[in-house]
Every structure is written in structure tokens, then in C-alpha cells.
């Protein structure tokens, strides 16, 4: 017989608050066209992107995270001292150690919260949300802060016609806490490492000095598009099935904001009713990887396009290739 006392956590978990931060500088397509041979019409037709935000020197990964997190904590109606865990998903914090989550936890004023970074690309928010849910149900924390943050402008090759127009910067955060009813569904997640070469950093950091060129993100656009459209629609449907609902029960669809053509194709494949609100934050924010879902969620709630208590399907997918989808009740 085990001598270990069983864990005592909440029966369920839910998102209690959301916050976002977009850098001050707004970058229209015209700026991108200074370094690539393309057109505003081509960029919009291929991606839906009109503008994106790029961070300045002061808008660091930590600084943007702190701004977004402060809003999420206030929205949740709790204090920073009550936060028991801080999970940061990012691929653009360039210090291998220490984790930027520890700096964020300290500057927010948490009481020595557990803090760590994860790297799961554009699926990072879903991964972090799943971990937070587990911590709350297991009982190791009552409230967990999940942050998706990127400065992808630092990893953008402005002369790469295939990717120069895609990426933006920003931070999105949510507070996850206890619930008496299911409000975060089962997560359908996984990886397809055999396709890892389709989205990657051009060279590892160890080769940076020898090449003389700063590493950037590159991708095989058509291969990624086909995978996202066909395979991720299946994953999204699996998440609906796991939550025990159909597309008719959905109020909101918040996919990773990678490309509006991908979003449109997924909506069509899933046969979502016209009554479902679809996040299209990509138009003015670009692809912010791990930050894209919480930023899109925050904007939908702020504009009134979505409301508290709505049932939303969220799905992230990207480099790895990795993915994560779940159904949530909006805060």
C-alpha cells in the first residue's frame, strides 16, 4: 500500500482572465515591400495580413509579458501574490538559461511562484494551457499564469519573399484557476517530427559565428499549408469529439493566426455554422506564434465579438511539427 498522500486539487480548471500586449510600432505591408519583390495585393491575397507590430528595444520578451500578464491578473480579479505557477511559451527569448518566466514571476510580484519556459512553437499556448490545467487539478497551484510571447521580428529574414511578411511581435496571457464545472476540455495534442524540416531556424546558434548571418525562421510554405488545412482540421474535430460537443454547439473558433487562407479552409472543412465567430486577428497582428491565440482571444472579448461564457475551440499548430487543440469556456 502506498505511503504517499493523494493530491487534492480543484475538480476542474477554467480560464479566469485574459490580457494582451501589442508593440507600439505598426508595420504596414509597404515597409515589407522595401526589401522583397512583391505587392500589397499579393501579401493580402496569400495571407490576409495588412499590418503587424514590431517591438522596439524596450519591448523585450519579459516587458511585453509583464504588460499582458498584469492585464490578465486584473481581469481575473486576483492578485499577483496568488499566482502559484508561471508558464511562458516562446521561441524568441535568446537566453538558454535562466528561464524568462522566473524574471516575469518576480517582477509581477508573485510569491516565489514555480516558473518555467516551454518551446512548442505556435502550439505553445495550448501546451501551456494543458500543463496549467493539470497543475490546478493536481493541486500544485491554485492559479497559474500562461503566457505566449514572441519577438519574431528578431528571427525574420526581411529578404526572404516567402516569410518576410508573415511575422509579428506581441504577448498574450491568461490566468487559469479552479472551477466547479468543466471549462477546459481534453487536449488533443501531438507531434510529427518527420516533418520538422518544413519550419525551422536556418542555422543553429552554434553555427552563427561561422556563417556571419543571424539565424532566421524559414519554412516550406506549400507543405505547411497542406498539412495545416487537412491534418489540423482533423485534430480540431477530434477536440470537439473529446469535449462531447459538435460544431453546432460552438460560439467561437480561435485558430492559430498563421494565415487567413488556412483559417478559411479549416472553417470550410469543419463545416462551422455562420453563427460561429471566427478570430481573424492575423490581419492586423500577423503571425505571433505562441502569442497568437491569447491575443486573438483578448481582442474578440474586448471588441464584443465574443462574450464571457462562450464556448470556443482553440487550436495551435506549427514548427516541430506540433499541435494542440481543446475546447474552452471564455472568461
Amino acid at each position: 500500500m502506498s505511503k504517499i498522500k493523494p493530491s487534492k486539487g480543484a475538480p476542474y480548471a477554467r480560464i479566469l482572465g485574459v490580457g494582451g500586449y501589442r508593440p507600439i510600432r505598426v508595420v504596414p505591408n509597404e515597409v515589407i515591400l522595401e526589401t522583397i519583390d512583391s505587392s500589397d495585393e499579393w501579401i493580402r491575397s496569400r495571407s490576409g495580413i495588412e499590418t503587424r507590430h514590431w517591438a522596439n528595444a524596450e519591448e523585450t520578451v519579459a516587458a511585453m509579458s509583464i504588460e499582458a500578464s498584469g492585464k490578465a491578473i486584473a481581469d481575473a480579479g486576483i492578485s499577483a501574490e496568488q499566482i502559484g505557477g508561471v508558464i511562458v511559451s516562446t521561441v524568441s527569448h535568446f537566453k538558454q538559461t535562466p528561464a524568462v518566466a522566473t524574471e516575469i514571476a518576480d517582477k509581477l510580484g508573485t510569491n516565489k511562484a514555480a516558473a518555467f519556459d516551454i518551446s512548442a512553437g505556435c502550439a505553445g499556448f495550448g501546451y501551456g494551457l494543458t500543463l496549467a490545467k493539470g497543475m490546478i487539478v493536481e493541486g500544485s497551484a491554485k492559479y497559474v499564469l500562461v503566457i505566449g510571447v514572441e519577438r519574431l521580428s528578431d528571427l525574420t529574414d526581411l529578404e526572404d519573399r516567402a516569410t518576410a511578411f508573415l511575422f509579428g511581435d506581441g504577448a498574450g496571457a491568461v490566468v487559469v484557476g479552479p472551477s466547479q464545472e468543466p471549462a477546459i476540455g481534453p487536449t488533443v495534442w501531438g507531434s510529427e517530427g518527420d516533418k520538422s524540416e518544413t519550419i525551422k531556424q536556418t542555422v543553429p546558434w552554434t553555427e552563427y559565428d561561422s556563417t556571419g548571418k543571424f539565424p532566421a525562421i524559414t519554412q516550406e510554405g506549400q507543405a505547411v499549408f497542406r498539412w495545416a488545412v487537412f491534418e489540423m482540421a482533423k485534430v480540431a474535430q477530434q477536440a470537439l469529439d473529446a469535449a462531447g460537443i459538435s460544431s453546432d454547439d460552438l460560439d467561437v473558433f480561435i485558430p492559430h493566426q498563421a494565415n487567413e487562407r488556412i483559417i478559411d479552409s479549416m472553417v470550410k472543412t469543419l463545416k462551422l455554422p455562420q453563427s460561429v465567430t471566427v478570430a481573424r486577428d492575423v490581419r492586423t497582428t500577423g503571425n505571433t506564434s505562441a502569442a497568437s491565440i491569447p491575443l486573438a482571444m483578448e481582442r474578440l472579448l474586448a471588441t464584443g465579438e465574443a462574450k464571457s461564457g462562450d464556448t470556443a475551440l482553440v487550436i495551435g499548430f506549427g514548427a516541430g511539427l506540433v499541435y494542440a487543440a481543446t475546447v474552452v469556456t471564455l472568461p
Side-chain angles (χ1 to χ4, degrees):
M1 185 175 180
S2 175
K3 297 179 181 179
I4 300 173
K5 186 169 68 174
S7 302
K8 290 184 179 180
Y12 306 103
R14 69 184 306 118
I15 299 174
L16 299 173
V18 60
Y21 180 82
R22 293 171 177 81
I24 296 168
R25 184 186 177 193
V26 177
V27 180
N29 289 337
E30 285 73 19
V31 172
I32 306 299
L33 296 174
E34 294 173 3
T35 52
I36 61 171
D37 181 16
S38 187
S39 69
D40 177 62
E41 181 184 3
W42 186 89
I43 293 174
R44 291 183 189 227
S45 66
R46 300 287 289 185
S47 68
I49 298 172
E50 302 167 7
T51 61
R52 72 285 291 146
H53 294 253
W54 283 355
N56 60 33
E58 287 74 37
E59 293 168 318
T60 63
V61 165
M64 292 191 293
S65 297
I66 290 165
E67 289 290 332
S69 298
K71 295 175 184 177
I73 292 168
D75 191 43
I78 66 169
S79 68
E81 289 184 347
Q82 293 175 275
I83 297 290
V86 177
I87 303 171
V88 177
S89 178
T90 185
V91 298
S92 47
H93 174 60
F94 296 150
K95 287 184 180 179
Q96 193 72 33
T97 192
V100 71
T102 59
E103 177 186 348
I104 295 166
D106 176 62
K107 289 185 176 178
L108 283 172
T110 69
N111 184 21
K112 300 180 180 179
F116 56 96
D117 298 350
I118 60 173
S119 176
C122 305
F125 176 75
Y127 275 51
L129 188 64
T130 304
L131 294 173
K133 173 186 172 183
M135 292 166 70
I136 289 158
V137 173
E138 186 269 341
S140 59
K142 186 173 182 180
Y143 300 103
V144 179
L145 183 64
V146 180
I147 304 165
V149 57
E150 301 292 2
R151 273 182 56 120
L152 294 181
S153 58
D154 292 335
L155 287 168
T156 299
D157 181 351
L158 294 179
E159 296 180 353
D160 181 356
R161 189 174 184 271
T163 62
F165 59 91
L166 288 175
F167 302 120
D169 304 336
V174 298
V175 172
V176 182
S179 174
Q180 293 302 308
E181 61 183 18
I184 301 175
T187 301
V188 177
W189 58 352
S191 65
E192 298 185 29
D194 60 316
K195 300 179 181 67
S196 61
E197 290 294 301
T198 57
I199 306 174
K200 63 181 181 180
Q201 188 171 305
T202 49
V203 295
W205 296 110
T206 52
E207 295 180 17
Y208 169 39
D209 288 341
S210 61
T211 62
K213 190 171 183 179
F214 197 78
I217 298 173
T218 184
Q219 70 175 24
E220 298 173 16
Q222 287 302 313
V224 172
F225 182 88
R226 288 192 297 270
W227 175 78
V229 168
F230 297 108
E231 297 303 321
M232 292 305 98
K234 297 176 186 176
V235 171
Q237 184 60 55
Q238 290 169 14
L240 290 174
D241 295 341
I245 68 171
S246 71
S247 58
D248 292 333
D249 299 313
L250 273 184
D251 299 304
V252 184
F253 179 43
I254 311 177
H256 165 47
Q257 301 293 291
N259 182 308
E260 194 164 31
R261 288 173 63 208
I262 292 175
I263 294 170
D264 288 339
S265 295
M266 291 183 71
V267 168
K268 184 178 180 180
T269 302
L270 288 166
K271 297 183 172 64
L272 295 185
Q274 288 190 344
S275 59
V276 175
T277 298
V278 179
R280 298 184 183 278
D281 195 43
V282 66
R283 293 174 179 172
T284 55
T285 305
N287 180 346
T288 55
S289 188
S292 77
I293 290 175
L295 278 173
M297 183 184 295
E298 182 264 348
R299 174 160 282 172
L300 288 177
L301 289 166
T303 60
E305 295 173 82
K307 61 183 184 299
S308 175
D310 278 353
T311 300
L313 169 63
V314 299
I315 178 170
F317 45 86
L321 294 170
V322 295
Y323 54 88
T326 187
V327 175
V328 304
T329 300
L330 294 182

mmCIF file of all heavy atoms in Angstrom, residues 233-271:
data_model
loop_
_atom_site.group_PDB
_atom_site.id
_atom_site.type_symbol
_atom_site.label_atom_id
_atom_site.label_comp_id
_atom_site.label_asym_id
_atom_site.label_seq_id
_atom_site.Cartn_x
_atom_site.Cartn_y
_atom_site.Cartn_z
ATOM 1 N N ALA A 233 -7.529 20.231 -39.406
ATOM 2 C CA ALA A 233 -8.990 20.170 -39.350
ATOM 3 C C ALA A 233 -9.433 18.876 -38.667
ATOM 4 O O ALA A 233 -10.403 18.859 -37.898
ATOM 5 C CB ALA A 233 -9.579 20.273 -40.755
ATOM 6 N N LYS A 234 -8.697 17.799 -38.918
ATOM 7 C CA LYS A 234 -8.994 16.520 -38.260
ATOM 8 C C LYS A 234 -8.766 16.618 -36.760
ATOM 9 O O LYS A 234 -9.566 16.121 -35.961
ATOM 10 C CB LYS A 234 -8.104 15.411 -38.836
ATOM 11 C CG LYS A 234 -8.325 15.124 -40.310
ATOM 12 C CD LYS A 234 -7.333 14.078 -40.798
ATOM 13 C CE LYS A 234 -7.413 13.872 -42.297
ATOM 14 N NZ LYS A 234 -6.369 12.925 -42.779
ATOM 15 N N VAL A 235 -7.663 17.267 -36.368
ATOM 16 C CA VAL A 235 -7.349 17.432 -34.948
ATOM 17 C C VAL A 235 -8.413 18.295 -34.266
ATOM 18 O O VAL A 235 -8.853 18.005 -33.146
ATOM 19 C CB VAL A 235 -5.948 18.051 -34.774
ATOM 20 C CG1 VAL A 235 -5.694 18.446 -33.318
ATOM 21 C CG2 VAL A 235 -4.872 17.069 -35.250
ATOM 22 N N ALA A 236 -8.840 19.350 -34.941
ATOM 23 C CA ALA A 236 -9.883 20.214 -34.389
ATOM 24 C C ALA A 236 -11.173 19.427 -34.164
ATOM 25 O O ALA A 236 -11.828 19.577 -33.127
ATOM 26 C CB ALA A 236 -10.134 21.393 -35.333
ATOM 27 N N GLN A 237 -11.515 18.570 -35.118
ATOM 28 C CA GLN A 237 -12.716 17.755 -34.960
ATOM 29 C C GLN A 237 -12.556 16.780 -33.799
ATOM 30 O O GLN A 237 -13.506 16.537 -33.036
ATOM 31 C CB GLN A 237 -13.003 16.986 -36.251
ATOM 32 C CG GLN A 237 -14.295 16.171 -36.222
ATOM 33 C CD GLN A 237 -15.516 17.020 -35.985
ATOM 34 O OE1 GLN A 237 -15.775 17.982 -36.717
ATOM 35 N NE2 GLN A 237 -16.284 16.697 -34.941
ATOM 36 N N GLN A 238 -11.361 16.231 -33.629
ATOM 37 C CA GLN A 238 -11.092 15.323 -32.514
ATOM 38 C C GLN A 238 -11.265 16.037 -31.174
ATOM 39 O O GLN A 238 -11.758 15.457 -30.198
ATOM 40 C CB GLN A 238 -9.688 14.738 -32.630
ATOM 41 C CG GLN A 238 -9.516 13.748 -33.772
ATOM 42 C CD GLN A 238 -8.057 13.398 -34.020
ATOM 43 O OE1 GLN A 238 -7.192 13.679 -33.196
ATOM 44 N NE2 GLN A 238 -7.775 12.792 -35.165
ATOM 45 N N ALA A 239 -10.870 17.309 -31.121
ATOM 46 C CA ALA A 239 -11.028 18.089 -29.884
ATOM 47 C C ALA A 239 -12.502 18.320 -29.579
ATOM 48 O O ALA A 239 -12.924 18.263 -28.412
ATOM 49 C CB ALA A 239 -10.290 19.421 -29.999
ATOM 50 N N LEU A 240 -13.297 18.581 -30.616
ATOM 51 C CA LEU A 240 -14.738 18.722 -30.422
ATOM 52 C C LEU A 240 -15.327 17.413 -29.897
ATOM 53 O O LEU A 240 -16.121 17.409 -28.946
ATOM 54 C CB LEU A 240 -15.423 19.109 -31.734
ATOM 55 C CG LEU A 240 -15.173 20.518 -32.278
ATOM 56 C CD1 LEU A 240 -15.820 20.665 -33.653
ATOM 57 C CD2 LEU A 240 -15.711 21.577 -31.329
ATOM 58 N N ASP A 241 -14.929 16.308 -30.513
ATOM 59 C CA ASP A 241 -15.431 14.998 -30.087
ATOM 60 C C ASP A 241 -15.039 14.696 -28.646
ATOM 61 O O ASP A 241 -15.845 14.173 -27.856
ATOM 62 C CB ASP A 241 -14.895 13.899 -31.018
ATOM 63 C CG ASP A 241 -15.409 14.033 -32.449
ATOM 64 O OD1 ASP A 241 -16.428 14.725 -32.653
ATOM 65 O OD2 ASP A 241 -14.774 13.455 -33.356
ATOM 66 N N ALA A 242 -13.778 15.013 -28.293
ATOM 67 C CA ALA A 242 -13.285 14.738 -26.941
ATOM 68 C C ALA A 242 -14.060 15.546 -25.896
ATOM 69 O O ALA A 242 -14.261 15.101 -24.764
ATOM 70 C CB ALA A 242 -11.790 15.055 -26.845
ATOM 71 N N ALA A 243 -14.489 16.760 -26.293
ATOM 72 C CA ALA A 243 -15.255 17.617 -25.379
ATOM 73 C C ALA A 243 -16.731 17.236 -25.356
ATOM 74 O O ALA A 243 -17.497 17.762 -24.538
ATOM 75 C CB ALA A 243 -15.103 19.075 -25.781
ATOM 76 N N GLY A 244 -17.130 16.349 -26.257
ATOM 77 C CA GLY A 244 -18.518 15.903 -26.284
ATOM 78 C C GLY A 244 -19.475 16.890 -26.902
ATOM 79 O O GLY A 244 -20.667 16.910 -26.562
ATOM 80 N N ILE A 245 -18.968 17.732 -27.815
ATOM 81 C CA ILE A 245 -19.838 18.714 -28.470
ATOM 82 C C ILE A 245 -19.670 18.624 -29.986
ATOM 83 O O ILE A 245 -18.720 18.015 -30.491
ATOM 84 C CB ILE A 245 -19.554 20.154 -27.993
ATOM 85 C CG1 ILE A 245 -18.168 20.615 -28.471
ATOM 86 C CG2 ILE A 245 -19.655 20.262 -26.486
ATOM 87 C CD1 ILE A 245 -17.920 22.095 -28.232
ATOM 88 N N SER A 246 -20.583 19.265 -30.703
ATOM 89 C CA SER A 246 -20.497 19.348 -32.156
ATOM 90 C C SER A 246 -20.216 20.789 -32.554
ATOM 91 O O SER A 246 -20.261 21.704 -31.704
ATOM 92 C CB SER A 246 -21.803 18.883 -32.801
ATOM 93 O OG SER A 246 -22.827 19.838 -32.573
ATOM 94 N N SER A 247 -19.953 21.014 -33.827
ATOM 95 C CA SER A 247 -19.690 22.374 -34.297
ATOM 96 C C SER A 247 -20.898 23.280 -34.079
ATOM 97 O O SER A 247 -20.757 24.496 -33.934
ATOM 98 C CB SER A 247 -19.306 22.353 -35.778
ATOM 99 O OG SER A 247 -20.332 21.764 -36.554
ATOM 100 N N ASP A 248 -22.098 22.697 -34.020
ATOM 101 C CA ASP A 248 -23.309 23.492 -33.777
ATOM 102 C C ASP A 248 -23.352 24.068 -32.358
ATOM 103 O O ASP A 248 -24.083 25.026 -32.100
ATOM 104 C CB ASP A 248 -24.559 22.641 -34.009
ATOM 105 C CG ASP A 248 -24.753 22.268 -35.466
ATOM 106 O OD1 ASP A 248 -24.285 23.035 -36.334
ATOM 107 O OD2 ASP A 248 -25.354 21.213 -35.743
ATOM 108 N N ASP A 249 -22.572 23.461 -31.443
ATOM 109 C CA ASP A 249 -22.535 23.938 -30.059
ATOM 110 C C ASP A 249 -21.523 25.059 -29.855
ATOM 111 O O ASP A 249 -21.485 25.670 -28.785
ATOM 112 C CB ASP A 249 -22.183 22.783 -29.109
ATOM 113 C CG ASP A 249 -23.207 21.662 -29.149
ATOM 114 O OD1 ASP A 249 -24.411 21.973 -29.079
ATOM 115 O OD2 ASP A 249 -22.805 20.490 -29.271
ATOM 116 N N LEU A 250 -20.696 25.312 -30.860
ATOM 117 C CA LEU A 250 -19.636 26.312 -30.741
ATOM 118 C C LEU A 250 -20.167 27.728 -30.898
ATOM 119 O O LEU A 250 -21.077 27.985 -31.684
ATOM 120 C CB LEU A 250 -18.566 26.091 -31.817
ATOM 121 C CG LEU A 250 -17.415 25.133 -31.558
ATOM 122 C CD1 LEU A 250 -16.452 25.185 -32.730
ATOM 123 C CD2 LEU A 250 -16.707 25.436 -30.257
ATOM 124 N N ASP A 251 -19.567 28.635 -30.145
ATOM 125 C CA ASP A 251 -19.825 30.065 -30.311
ATOM 126 C C ASP A 251 -18.675 30.753 -31.025
ATOM 127 O O ASP A 251 -18.878 31.718 -31.767
ATOM 128 C CB ASP A 251 -20.035 30.736 -28.945
ATOM 129 C CG ASP A 251 -21.212 30.160 -28.192
ATOM 130 O OD1 ASP A 251 -22.326 30.154 -28.746
ATOM 131 O OD2 ASP A 251 -21.014 29.686 -27.051
ATOM 132 N N VAL A 252 -17.450 30.263 -30.767
ATOM 133 C CA VAL A 252 -16.244 30.948 -31.243
ATOM 134 C C VAL A 252 -15.209 29.936 -31.707
ATOM 135 O O VAL A 252 -15.069 28.860 -31.106
ATOM 136 C CB VAL A 252 -15.635 31.825 -30.112
ATOM 137 C CG1 VAL A 252 -14.436 32.618 -30.621
ATOM 138 C CG2 VAL A 252 -16.677 32.765 -29.518
ATOM 139 N N PHE A 253 -14.472 30.286 -32.755
ATOM 140 C CA PHE A 253 -13.352 29.481 -33.246
ATOM 141 C C PHE A 253 -12.105 30.361 -33.226
ATOM 142 O O PHE A 253 -12.057 31.403 -33.880
ATOM 143 C CB PHE A 253 -13.639 28.978 -34.657
ATOM 144 C CG PHE A 253 -12.543 28.155 -35.270
ATOM 145 C CD1 PHE A 253 -11.862 27.187 -34.543
ATOM 146 C CD2 PHE A 253 -12.186 28.335 -36.608
ATOM 147 C CE1 PHE A 253 -10.857 26.424 -35.117
ATOM 148 C CE2 PHE A 253 -11.192 27.567 -37.197
ATOM 149 C CZ PHE A 253 -10.525 26.608 -36.452
ATOM 150 N N ILE A 254 -11.087 29.944 -32.458
ATOM 151 C CA ILE A 254 -9.847 30.719 -32.345
ATOM 152 C C ILE A 254 -8.672 29.831 -32.766
ATOM 153 O O ILE A 254 -8.025 29.192 -31.932
ATOM 154 C CB ILE A 254 -9.616 31.256 -30.911
ATOM 155 C CG1 ILE A 254 -10.879 31.946 -30.377
ATOM 156 C CG2 ILE A 254 -8.435 32.238 -30.899
ATOM 157 C CD1 ILE A 254 -10.754 32.447 -28.955
ATOM 158 N N PRO A 255 -8.386 29.773 -34.055
ATOM 159 C CA PRO A 255 -7.220 29.017 -34.514
ATOM 160 C C PRO A 255 -5.954 29.863 -34.422
ATOM 161 O O PRO A 255 -6.032 31.098 -34.308
ATOM 162 C CB PRO A 255 -7.555 28.727 -35.980
ATOM 163 C CG PRO A 255 -8.367 29.928 -36.395
ATOM 164 C CD PRO A 255 -9.151 30.354 -35.170
ATOM 165 N N HIS A 256 -4.824 29.206 -34.479
ATOM 166 C CA HIS A 256 -3.547 29.925 -34.577
ATOM 167 C C HIS A 256 -3.616 30.876 -35.760
ATOM 168 O O HIS A 256 -4.053 30.504 -36.858
ATOM 169 C CB HIS A 256 -2.407 28.917 -34.754
ATOM 170 C CG HIS A 256 -1.125 29.525 -35.221
ATOM 171 N ND1 HIS A 256 -0.594 30.665 -34.656
ATOM 172 C CD2 HIS A 256 -0.267 29.157 -36.216
ATOM 173 C CE1 HIS A 256 0.539 30.965 -35.272
ATOM 174 N NE2 HIS A 256 0.750 30.076 -36.222
ATOM 175 N N GLN A 257 -3.175 32.103 -35.522
ATOM 176 C CA GLN A 257 -3.271 33.143 -36.553
ATOM 177 C C GLN A 257 -2.033 33.124 -37.455
ATOM 178 O O GLN A 257 -1.184 34.005 -37.405
ATOM 179 C CB GLN A 257 -3.453 34.503 -35.883
ATOM 180 C CG GLN A 257 -4.686 34.583 -34.996
ATOM 181 C CD GLN A 257 -5.982 34.489 -35.782
ATOM 182 O OE1 GLN A 257 -6.323 35.397 -36.534
ATOM 183 N NE2 GLN A 257 -6.726 33.397 -35.605
ATOM 184 N N ALA A 258 -1.987 32.113 -38.297
ATOM 185 C CA ALA A 258 -0.837 31.955 -39.196
ATOM 186 C C ALA A 258 -1.097 32.575 -40.554
ATOM 187 O O ALA A 258 -0.220 33.222 -41.138
ATOM 188 C CB ALA A 258 -0.508 30.472 -39.363
ATOM 189 N N ASN A 259 -2.319 32.358 -41.057
ATOM 190 C CA ASN A 259 -2.617 32.696 -42.438
ATOM 191 C C ASN A 259 -4.142 32.637 -42.594
ATOM 192 O O ASN A 259 -4.764 31.649 -42.215
ATOM 193 C CB ASN A 259 -1.923 31.674 -43.356
ATOM 194 C CG ASN A 259 -2.123 31.954 -44.825
ATOM 195 O OD1 ASN A 259 -3.235 32.133 -45.288
ATOM 196 N ND2 ASN A 259 -1.029 31.957 -45.567
ATOM 197 N N GLU A 260 -4.728 33.682 -43.145
ATOM 198 C CA GLU A 260 -6.189 33.707 -43.249
ATOM 199 C C GLU A 260 -6.719 32.652 -44.222
ATOM 200 O O GLU A 260 -7.838 32.160 -44.061
ATOM 201 C CB GLU A 260 -6.676 35.092 -43.652
ATOM 202 C CG GLU A 260 -8.176 35.256 -43.443
ATOM 203 C CD GLU A 260 -8.626 36.694 -43.450
ATOM 204 O OE1 GLU A 260 -7.999 37.525 -44.150
ATOM 205 O OE2 GLU A 260 -9.615 37.006 -42.757
ATOM 206 N N ARG A 261 -5.922 32.281 -45.219
ATOM 207 C CA ARG A 261 -6.350 31.226 -46.142
ATOM 208 C C ARG A 261 -6.469 29.885 -45.415
ATOM 209 O O ARG A 261 -7.385 29.103 -45.678
ATOM 210 C CB ARG A 261 -5.354 31.100 -47.301
ATOM 211 C CG ARG A 261 -5.406 32.266 -48.296
ATOM 212 C CD ARG A 261 -4.284 32.152 -49.297
ATOM 213 N NE ARG A 261 -4.405 30.940 -50.108
ATOM 214 C CZ ARG A 261 -3.366 30.302 -50.652
ATOM 215 N NH1 ARG A 261 -2.133 30.738 -50.442
ATOM 216 N NH2 ARG A 261 -3.557 29.234 -51.395
ATOM 217 N N ILE A 262 -5.560 29.628 -44.479
ATOM 218 C CA ILE A 262 -5.645 28.405 -43.674
ATOM 219 C C ILE A 262 -6.897 28.448 -42.803
ATOM 220 O O ILE A 262 -7.630 27.458 -42.690
ATOM 221 C CB ILE A 262 -4.380 28.229 -42.808
ATOM 222 C CG1 ILE A 262 -3.159 27.949 -43.686
ATOM 223 C CG2 ILE A 262 -4.571 27.100 -41.793
ATOM 224 C CD1 ILE A 262 -1.841 27.891 -42.921
ATOM 225 N N ILE A 263 -7.149 29.599 -42.182
ATOM 226 C CA ILE A 263 -8.324 29.742 -41.335
ATOM 227 C C ILE A 263 -9.595 29.488 -42.137
ATOM 228 O O ILE A 263 -10.472 28.731 -41.712
ATOM 229 C CB ILE A 263 -8.352 31.151 -40.696
ATOM 230 C CG1 ILE A 263 -7.178 31.324 -39.730
ATOM 231 C CG2 ILE A 263 -9.682 31.387 -39.962
ATOM 232 C CD1 ILE A 263 -6.987 32.743 -39.230
ATOM 233 N N ASP A 264 -9.694 30.098 -43.321
ATOM 234 C CA ASP A 264 -10.878 29.921 -44.164
ATOM 235 C C ASP A 264 -11.075 28.459 -44.550
ATOM 236 O O ASP A 264 -12.204 27.943 -44.544
ATOM 237 C CB ASP A 264 -10.756 30.770 -45.431
ATOM 238 C CG ASP A 264 -10.919 32.257 -45.163
ATOM 239 O OD1 ASP A 264 -11.509 32.609 -44.119
ATOM 240 O OD2 ASP A 264 -10.452 33.057 -45.992
ATOM 241 N N SER A 265 -9.987 27.793 -44.884
ATOM 242 C CA SER A 265 -10.065 26.387 -45.292
ATOM 243 C C SER A 265 -10.510 25.501 -44.136
ATOM 244 O O SER A 265 -11.301 24.571 -44.318
ATOM 245 C CB SER A 265 -8.720 25.914 -45.835
ATOM 246 O OG SER A 265 -8.382 26.605 -47.020
ATOM 247 N N MET A 266 -10.016 25.779 -42.928
ATOM 248 C CA MET A 266 -10.414 24.996 -41.769
ATOM 249 C C MET A 266 -11.892 25.200 -41.435
ATOM 250 O O MET A 266 -12.604 24.249 -41.093
ATOM 251 C CB MET A 266 -9.544 25.358 -40.560
ATOM 252 C CG MET A 266 -8.099 24.914 -40.685
ATOM 253 S SD MET A 266 -7.133 25.274 -39.207
ATOM 254 C CE MET A 266 -7.808 24.080 -38.062
ATOM 255 N N VAL A 267 -12.362 26.431 -41.533
ATOM 256 C CA VAL A 267 -13.780 26.727 -41.286
ATOM 257 C C VAL A 267 -14.659 25.932 -42.255
ATOM 258 O O VAL A 267 -15.679 25.348 -41.866
ATOM 259 C CB VAL A 267 -14.050 28.243 -41.438
ATOM 260 C CG1 VAL A 267 -15.550 28.529 -41.487
ATOM 261 C CG2 VAL A 267 -13.403 29.012 -40.294
ATOM 262 N N LYS A 268 -14.231 25.884 -43.513
ATOM 263 C CA LYS A 268 -14.987 25.157 -44.534
ATOM 264 C C LYS A 268 -14.963 23.659 -44.285
ATOM 265 O O LYS A 268 -15.999 22.985 -44.348
ATOM 266 C CB LYS A 268 -14.410 25.477 -45.916
ATOM 267 C CG LYS A 268 -15.171 24.847 -47.072
ATOM 268 C CD LYS A 268 -14.568 25.263 -48.405
ATOM 269 C CE LYS A 268 -15.321 24.629 -49.574
ATOM 270 N NZ LYS A 268 -14.739 25.044 -50.884
ATOM 271 N N THR A 269 -13.792 23.113 -43.970
ATOM 272 C CA THR A 269 -13.657 21.672 -43.744
ATOM 273 C C THR A 269 -14.441 21.224 -42.519
ATOM 274 O O THR A 269 -15.049 20.154 -42.506
ATOM 275 C CB THR A 269 -12.168 21.298 -43.589
ATOM 276 O OG1 THR A 269 -11.455 21.704 -44.764
ATOM 277 C CG2 THR A 269 -12.001 19.797 -43.409
ATOM 278 N N LEU A 270 -14.431 22.054 -41.471
ATOM 279 C CA LEU A 270 -15.153 21.726 -40.244
ATOM 280 C C LEU A 270 -16.660 21.979 -40.358
ATOM 281 O O LEU A 270 -17.408 21.608 -39.453
ATOM 282 C CB LEU A 270 -14.593 22.541 -39.077
ATOM 283 C CG LEU A 270 -13.208 22.149 -38.567
ATOM 284 C CD1 LEU A 270 -12.642 23.232 -37.666
ATOM 285 C CD2 LEU A 270 -13.260 20.817 -37.829
ATOM 286 N N LYS A 271 -17.048 22.629 -41.465
ATOM 287 C CA LYS A 271 -18.467 22.961 -41.682
ATOM 288 C C LYS A 271 -19.036 23.770 -40.515
ATOM 289 O O LYS A 271 -20.130 23.491 -39.993
ATOM 290 C CB LYS A 271 -19.304 21.701 -41.908
ATOM 291 C CG LYS A 271 -18.930 20.908 -43.156
ATOM 292 C CD LYS A 271 -19.859 19.722 -43.348
ATOM 293 C CE LYS A 271 -19.643 19.009 -44.674
ATOM 294 N NZ LYS A 271 -18.309 18.396 -44.794
#
